[in-house]
Amino acid sequence: MKNFLPKPNEKIFGLKSLDRDTLIYRVLPRFLLEILRKYFRLEVEGAENIPRRGAVIIAPNHSGYSGFDAFLLGHVIQEEAKRVPRVLTHHFWFLTETTAIPAQKMGFTEATYENGLNALKKGNAIVLFPEGEQGNFKPTTERYQLQEFKRGFIRMALEAQCPIVPAIVLGAEETHINLKKLKFTKFLKGSVIPLPLNILPLPAKWRIRFLEPIQLPYKASSVNDADLVHEIAQDIQEKMQIAIEEEISKRGNAFL
């Protein structure tokens, strides 16, 4: 059977395959993300709180079922902090080669504890959503109400002895309206999916604010102290919820 895939450096429509790869996975996403940034009239505050080198966990709230927050956060970190973060994302991105290849090209990594810790041990910045899918798939009636934080990001920070930079995203909840969170009980047990009202994003104004870094004053061996890990996660969740409510109280109709 004839292989229709281009060989390395083979020209197709005047472009080498490597050039096309750069266009599809590097130039085009950046171009589209700049369009989204302008479409959402994105404001960014606190980018100076992102360390310019070394391992760091950036922990945002997860909002808007589409995952646009993951795309834009990665883009903002590259533009503002001059770092290429590893964005830990839902395993659905990696179920097929069709979605997995572009996801990896854009810096997405499957959200597992091992992947996150390995990236940190190499001195990378990672973006990890502590709420998981429960955050971005929650119904719009619960918007800006943080769901319970999973504790993996605390254990990673302890093991890697790296800081955590909490981040809050506002606007994504109005961009994509989710009617309900559907839970699987038989197939893909334990997974949830959204029931969206709109597919095309609404032009709500976005704001991303990076809070001050948190350096945990504990040794790596504290990773085994379940009570301590749970308490730290709760403290960070409360800090972020307060920051979200402060932003909501200030914004008025500015985000509509």
Side-chain angles (χ1 to χ4, degrees):
M1 181 179 293
K2 186 176 180 179
N3 184 4
F4 290 96
L5 293 176
K7 297 177 182 179
N9 297 317
E10 180 181 350
K11 287 189 177 182
I12 296 181
F13 303 119
L15 284 175
K16 292 181 179 180
S17 60
L18 292 180
D19 293 336
R20 290 187 306 107
D21 184 76
T22 300
L23 175 66
I24 294 170
Y25 296 128
R26 296 176 186 269
V27 178
L28 190 56
R30 185 170 181 174
F31 175 70
L32 291 175
L33 286 166
E34 277 299 317
I35 291 176
L36 283 178
R37 185 168 183 163
K38 290 179 172 59
Y39 179 72
F40 295 135
R41 297 161 289 156
L42 175 63
E43 295 179 351
V44 178
E45 180 185 346
E48 68 277 5
N49 290 323
I50 304 171
R52 293 319 192 244
R53 61 179 61 86
V56 60
I57 298 172
I58 299 165
N61 59 303
H62 213 353
S63 55
Y65 70 82
S66 68
F68 277 23
D69 52 355
F71 284 106
L72 281 172
L73 275 161
H75 180 62
V76 165
I77 293 165
Q78 288 187 53
E79 294 297 308
E80 303 286 341
K82 308 304 179 186
R83 301 196 64 170
V84 180
R86 276 51 176 179
V87 183
L88 272 62
T89 52
H90 201 287
H91 70 274
F92 282 170
W93 277 96
F94 303 93
L95 291 178
T96 68
E97 187 174 327
T98 303
T99 56
I101 292 176
Q104 290 166 350
K105 292 285 185 178
M106 289 185 287
F108 284 12
T109 302
E110 186 171 0
T112 68
Y113 186 84
E114 292 74 19
N115 286 343
L117 189 59
N118 286 338
L120 291 172
K121 287 183 176 179
K122 294 176 182 177
N124 292 310
I126 69 170
V127 176
L128 189 158
F129 296 92
E131 296 173 279
E133 61 188 12
Q134 301 295 333
N136 66 321
F137 291 166
K138 67 180 179 292
T140 299
T141 54
E142 298 176 12
R143 63 184 179 183
Y144 301 123
Q145 298 175 28
L146 293 178
Q147 306 299 293
E148 183 179 4
F149 278 13
K150 298 178 181 179
R151 269 76 75 184
F153 78 114
I154 302 297
R155 297 199 304 273
M156 287 182 199
L158 289 169
E159 280 204 58
Q161 290 291 285
C162 71
I164 298 170
V165 176
I168 57 174
V169 181
L170 284 89
E173 303 278 18
E174 291 85 3
T175 293
H176 284 102
I177 308 301
N178 186 29
L179 299 175
K180 190 176 182 180
K181 179 170 60 179
L182 303 176
K183 297 182 180 180
F184 284 101
T185 56
K186 186 175 182 181
F187 302 104
L188 300 175
K189 187 176 181 179
S191 297
V192 297
I193 61 171
L195 181 62
L197 176 64
N198 65 306
I199 302 299
L200 295 177
L202 300 174
K205 187 175 182 180
W206 279 43
R207 178 172 172 80
I208 297 176
R209 175 181 159 196
F210 297 96
L211 307 184
E212 292 185 1
I214 299 171
Q215 185 69 56
L216 302 178
Y218 304 102
K219 296 181 180 179
S221 57
S222 301
V223 71
N224 298 314
D225 189 335
D227 290 337
L228 175 64
V229 169
H230 186 263
E231 182 180 350
I232 296 171
Q234 282 188 319
D235 287 346
I236 294 176
Q237 180 173 340
E238 290 174 7
K239 180 188 292 288
M240 290 174 61
Q241 186 68 63
I242 290 171
I244 287 172
E245 290 169 3
E246 288 175 351
E247 291 294 333
I248 291 173
S249 67
K250 289 189 299 184
R251 73 180 189 173
N253 293 324
F255 281 62
L256 301 177

